[in-house]
Amino acid sequence: MYNYVRARLNKAASQLRDLPPTLALVWAAAPSYTLAWAVLLVLQGILPVATVYLTRALVNSLVAAVRAGAPWPGIRTVITLAAVMALVMLITQVFRSATIWISTSQAELTTDHINQLIHEKSITVDLAFYESPDSYDHLHRARAEGSYRPIAVIESLGGLLQSSITLVAMIAVLVPFGPILPLALILSTIPALYVVLNSSQHRYEWHYRHTAAERRCWYYDWLLTSADAAAEIRLFGLGNHFRSAYEILRRRLRTERMDLARRQGFGELCAGLTTLAISGLAMALMVWRAIRGLVSVGDLALFYQAFNQGLALARSLLENVGKLYENTLFLGNLFKFLSLKPNIVSPAFAAPVLTLKDGIQFENVTFGYPGTDRFALHDFNMALESGQITALVGPNGAGKSTIIKLLCRFYEPNCGDIRIDGIPLAGFSIEDLRSKISVLFQNPVRFNSTAAENIHFGNLKCTDDESVRKAAAIAGAEELIASLPHGFQTSLGKQFSEGVELSTGEWQRVAIARTLLRGAPIILLDEPTSAMDPWAEITWAEQFRCFAQGRTAVLITHRFTTAMFADVIHVMAGGQIVESGTHDELLALGGLYAEGWANQRDEAHISAAKVKYAS
């Protein structure tokens, strides 16, 4: 037992390495509240000792007054001591109420501060972070535990400090009665200490092992309650399937948690019985001394109150030690997340602002996403001429969208170089590089905000409403927005207000407007016309050519009717370019592009015939 407790104490001491940064974090969030909290804790730790001494004095004075026939001087002493005790109890209650208010304020400020740190780290980590299940577990632990664990640590530390002050004082009160009684008080805490450390370690290990399972529970809950999945859940009758999966997983987790609680409860029962036996023997010893006249009635009251409070304080102290230990275990997850460093960073001496005179060059670029052996691009070479519109076509998985992610420097190539005006991308400041690029991603974000704000997010520095309207017009979204109940001030989406929900194609036009508002010299559009009808596609393509004059643009598309408007078309397959040329040149070549054009044309003719037949 001794060796086990010592091992646990050593391990606990090593885990407390996260305690100083936790205190620093709380201090940074709420310095004045933390200082006031610490002062109140010290005062509240001293006041119970004053109460114990006042109790002995009051009991002895009361006994003396009764024996003397209750003369006025004796009664006055009793009244004075009772009044002082009442004042101490009143002060204790005031301090307790003040501590609740201060702790709540401290907790709110600290929670907000930690969330800000998590958000700041989340938007700076490499995109590769989100490619790994371990990373999702890491982020889940940081988010789930980080928002309240530091406050729990402070509360535990505060309780520990207050209880320690009072307990030391109580032990000092017991010392005059002989060394056996303080020793009995200390020995009675050892079984509880064993239970506390053991239970805390097991709970932490259980949570760490089951992070993925808990995340999957959250995922099933999201599927069952999210609007994004609602249609398919109903259409394919998946509701009961996911409900069952959720219940099975929850049942397993619940059973294991209950088993942990059962073992902890049994351990606490055994520790409590041991403590009760030791305290009973100590009390019996003091009663025996009182019967023999070795101690006064006031001394017996003093001992009873001091020993009982000492036991309660010891239990509180151990509970706070356990909570402190457990919370610092979990806090390791938060600090590990906050200590992550991005691999993709700006150079110490960045190249000047981009001018884009010589274009963009991909030179023997090979790249595979983290966690996979498959290469999205293999020995890839491509030149994007400055001021031209380049279209990239090809089957799914050919590596087209990867080019956008590499140009934005979300990832680094495994080998090869990407250059702008002859300078490698790594030579530019990341902020400067990305400020010169505007992107329409394949699945653009649908911001639940007004139509104007949805477009404005493309360039927060733009304060000109006319520019927002112009971007909407070029994107083919102006007429759509004008038809909304409040025009550009209409809320889109229904998550936070009674807004208007747009179709996929309408959301796409708003996203294109957001991309164009940025006014960047490099424009990268991934499937910009995938949700447009043929008439809107042609109109948009013509307007985009006018807008893109003087800019370098890349269109990634499966629609050859969009690609044909480009200055040059690259056909990709297997992570490489297999054909290049203008629309007419590629048709004359008779290769993959010509075959794809013929297939899409035939499909268009068949669709037109069906529409004519149906009418």
Side-chain angles (χ1 to χ4, degrees):
M1 172 74 73
Y2 171 75
N3 290 333
Y4 181 86
V5 171
R6 187 176 66 175
R8 285 294 187 193
L9 286 172
N10 290 336
K11 190 168 185 178
S14 66
Q15 293 294 343
L16 292 178
R17 65 183 181 275
D18 290 322
L19 187 56
T22 301
L23 295 175
L25 188 150
V26 174
W27 179 262
S32 56
Y33 285 102
T34 302
L35 181 61
W37 165 83
V39 171
L40 284 174
L41 285 179
V42 172
L43 293 176
Q44 289 181 89
I46 296 172
L47 286 175
V49 182
T51 303
V52 169
Y53 275 108
L54 286 170
T55 300
R56 180 175 66 172
L58 178 62
V59 171
N60 285 335
S61 298
L62 185 61
V63 170
V66 171
R67 286 176 179 175
W72 170 244
I75 295 175
R76 184 175 59 188
T77 301
V78 171
I79 293 174
T80 301
L81 289 171
V84 173
M85 280 192 68
L87 179 61
V88 170
M89 294 173 66
L90 176 62
I91 293 172
T92 300
Q93 186 58 52
V94 170
F95 283 176
R96 187 177 294 117
S97 299
T99 301
I100 292 173
W101 171 68
I102 289 173
S103 296
T104 301
S105 303
Q106 181 191 47
E108 290 294 324
L109 289 169
T110 303
T111 299
D112 289 344
H113 180 63
I114 291 170
N115 285 332
Q116 288 172 5
L117 293 176
I118 292 175
H119 294 162
E120 181 181 349
K121 182 59 63 174
S122 296
I123 61 176
T124 57
V125 293
D126 295 330
L127 223 60
F129 176 83
Y130 297 99
E131 302 284 348
S132 166
D134 290 340
S135 297
Y136 280 105
D137 287 347
H138 209 149
L139 180 58
H140 176 85
R141 294 187 193 109
R143 292 176 63 191
E145 310 294 341
S147 60
Y148 75 93
R149 290 286 181 183
I151 291 302
V153 165
I154 292 300
E155 290 176 351
S156 300
L157 192 62
L160 185 63
L161 175 63
Q162 182 178 336
S163 298
S164 297
I165 292 171
T166 310
L167 182 60
V168 169
M170 292 299 177
I171 290 175
V173 170
L174 294 174
V175 166
F177 296 106
I180 295 178
L181 297 176
L183 183 62
L185 181 60
I186 294 171
L187 289 176
S188 67
T189 63
I190 292 178
L193 178 62
Y194 164 79
V195 172
V196 163
L197 296 179
N198 191 53
S199 299
S200 298
Q201 185 68 34
H202 283 313
R203 277 196 300 273
Y204 169 74
E205 291 172 351
W206 185 90
H207 280 287
Y208 194 90
R209 288 195 310 270
H210 292 81
T211 300
E214 289 183 319
R215 279 201 306 110
R216 188 168 289 277
C217 277
W218 284 24
Y219 173 66
Y220 288 149
D221 179 72
W222 176 83
L223 285 175
L224 291 166
T225 59
S226 168
D228 294 341
E232 291 201 35
I233 291 291
R234 285 157 178 74
L235 178 65
F236 296 115
L238 299 175
N240 289 332
H241 169 77
F242 286 117
R243 277 184 57 209
S244 176
Y246 176 83
E247 289 170 3
I248 290 171
L249 191 53
R250 279 291 305 145
R251 189 182 305 118
R252 178 167 68 84
L253 295 175
R254 183 175 65 248
T255 301
E256 293 185 17
R257 276 201 184 103
M258 291 169 66
D259 184 57
L260 278 175
R262 178 184 57 79
R263 283 184 285 169
Q264 179 182 350
F266 179 74
E268 289 178 354
L269 175 62
C270 294
L273 291 175
T274 304
T275 301
L276 186 62
I278 294 175
S279 60
L281 291 173
M283 192 64 202
L285 176 62
M286 282 300 297
V287 171
W288 173 249
R289 288 183 178 180
I291 292 173
R292 295 175 60 193
L294 300 177
V295 295
S296 68
V297 177
D299 289 336
L300 184 62
L302 171 71
F303 166 78
Y304 177 77
Q305 200 169 25
F307 198 85
N308 272 355
Q309 284 200 36
L311 287 175
L313 288 165
R315 284 193 296 269
S316 173
L317 188 146
L318 291 175
E319 287 176 3
N320 285 311
V321 167
K323 291 176 181 177
L324 184 65
Y325 177 53
E326 182 175 345
N327 287 320
T328 51
L329 286 173
F330 282 99
L331 270 177
N333 300 318
L334 172 64
F335 289 117
K336 285 178 185 176
F337 177 73
L338 294 180
S339 66
L340 291 174
K341 303 293 184 185
N343 294 316
I344 300 176
V345 295
S346 298
F349 301 97
V353 177
L354 298 169
T355 55
L356 205 65
K357 294 179 179 179
D358 301 328
I360 304 170
Q361 299 81 36
F362 286 73
E363 300 174 354
N364 303 317
V365 172
T366 296
F367 172 75
Y369 288 98
T372 177
D373 296 330
R374 178 175 171 270
F375 289 119
L377 297 175
H378 182 68
D379 198 23
F380 180 79
N381 290 277
M382 179 177 67
L384 300 175
E385 297 296 330
S386 178
Q388 280 193 345
I389 299 176
T390 302
L392 301 179
V393 299
N396 292 328
K400 303 184 298 297
S401 297
T402 299
I403 290 171
I404 289 180
K405 296 174 183 177
L406 291 176
L407 272 174
C408 293
R409 217 177 156 218
F410 295 145
Y411 299 91
E412 299 279 35
N414 297 90
C415 60
D417 287 314
I418 304 173
R419 299 176 181 272
I420 297 180
D421 290 343
I423 303 173
L425 289 189
F428 298 105
S429 158
I430 291 178
E431 293 76 15
D432 186 36
L433 172 68
R434 292 175 183 168
S435 71
K436 301 301 185 294
I437 299 175
S438 190
V439 181
L440 172 71
F441 294 102
Q442 194 166 3
N443 297 302
V445 177
R446 301 180 178 185
F447 293 103
N448 275 247
S449 188
T450 66
E453 288 171 334
N454 260 274
I455 299 172
H456 188 218
F457 289 150
N459 184 1
L460 292 176
K461 295 179 180 179
C462 175
T463 58
D464 182 10
D465 291 341
E466 186 58 34
S467 296
V468 172
R469 294 180 181 276
K470 183 178 178 181
I474 298 172
E478 185 177 32
E479 185 177 343
L480 156 69
I481 295 174
S483 68
L484 298 177
H486 305 291
F488 279 85
Q489 299 308 312
T490 303
S491 294
L492 304 183
K494 294 180 176 294
Q495 284 191 320
F496 305 109
S497 63
E498 290 298 324
V500 175
E501 187 57 65
L502 304 182
S503 69
T504 301
E506 290 170 336
W507 274 113
Q508 186 180 50
R509 294 185 193 185
V510 173
I512 292 173
R514 180 165 65 242
T515 302
L516 301 182
L517 181 67
R518 194 172 182 86
I522 302 173
I523 306 173
L524 312 174
L525 304 180
D526 197 345
E527 298 292 354
T529 59
S530 60
M532 292 185 188
D533 56 61
W535 298 274
E537 177 188 10
I538 294 172
T539 301
W540 176 84
E542 292 172 345
Q543 290 179 323
F544 179 73
R545 276 200 65 87
C546 295
F547 175 81
Q549 286 184 5
R551 294 182 171 90
T552 302
V554 176
L555 299 178
I556 295 175
T557 181
H558 283 94
R559 286 192 173 187
F560 291 3
T561 47
T562 298
M564 64 184 292
F565 287 90
D567 298 309
V568 63
I569 303 168
H570 296 308
V571 182
M572 293 184 62
Q576 294 182 328
I577 293 175
V578 294
E579 293 178 7
S580 295
T582 64
H583 174 71
D584 292 335
E585 289 172 347
L586 290 173
L587 288 182
L589 186 63
L592 291 176
Y593 183 86
E595 181 181 346
W597 172 264
N599 290 337
Q600 287 193 8
R601 185 181 57 186
D602 290 343
E603 290 172 3
H605 288 163
I606 292 171
S607 299
K610 287 181 178 179
V611 171
K612 183 177 180 180
Y613 177 77
S615 61

